[in-house]
Amino acid sequence: MRSLSNILFAWLGMIDFIVPLIFAVAAGNKGFCNRYCGRGQLFTVLGKKAKCSRNKQAPKWISSKIFRYGFLAFFLTMFGNMVFQTWLVGSGAASLKEAIKLLWTFRVPWGWAYTGGFVADWIAQFSFGFYSLMLTSTIIGIVVMVLYKPRTWCTFCPMGTMTQGICQMKKTDTAS
Ligand code: SF4
């Protein structure tokens, strides 16, 4: 059971990070969002089937360009910071921090999920950082799912914003 909950499984989350971009770049569509994204499906199941959503219209600013791109910029900054922390640990300039940070602020000790020693510390550091990012975004997604429509998170999801931007660029390229 302990091995199944190992923090290193956070690396699998990179699939959800890379595959939507591959779909957008290669096929010019949001096929991943529409068919395969586990998080999108989770919000549909919880919100629609389990009726955990109030199903109310979200405020307009949530889907505004400025908010979506602002949130994307914030998310990418946090991602960059996480990669930097990983690099610091890899280069020996910092030591491994076995903690999950919720909402980029609250430290949640999670040492029980990592027994240590069998991978390099930077690999574990990336896992803790990436898990923090995924857990935080899932919690935000659940909150907006409950308050508004089931897939409100998808209107400002950084991956959705990036793939949409790529698809639009590809359409413009094809049209010109
Ligand atoms: S917008 Fe984000 S959460 Fe929604 S389906 Fe696409 S990748 Fe998944």
Side-chain angles (χ1 to χ4, degrees), residues 83-97 120-126:
V83 172
F84 181 60
Q85 296 305 325
T86 302
W87 177 77
L88 286 179
V89 171
S91 66
S95 50
L96 172 66
K97 292 178 193 69
D121 278 357
W122 70 267
I123 295 177
Q125 188 62 61
F126 183 88

Side-chain angles (χ1 to χ4, degrees), residues 20 30 32-34 37 39-40 43 151 153-154 157 159-160:
K30 293 188 69 175
F32 180 83
C33 287
N34 298 336
C37 177
R39 185 174 299 195
F43 295 146
R151 286 184 68 154
W153 164 259
C154 293
C157 162
M159 295 314 300

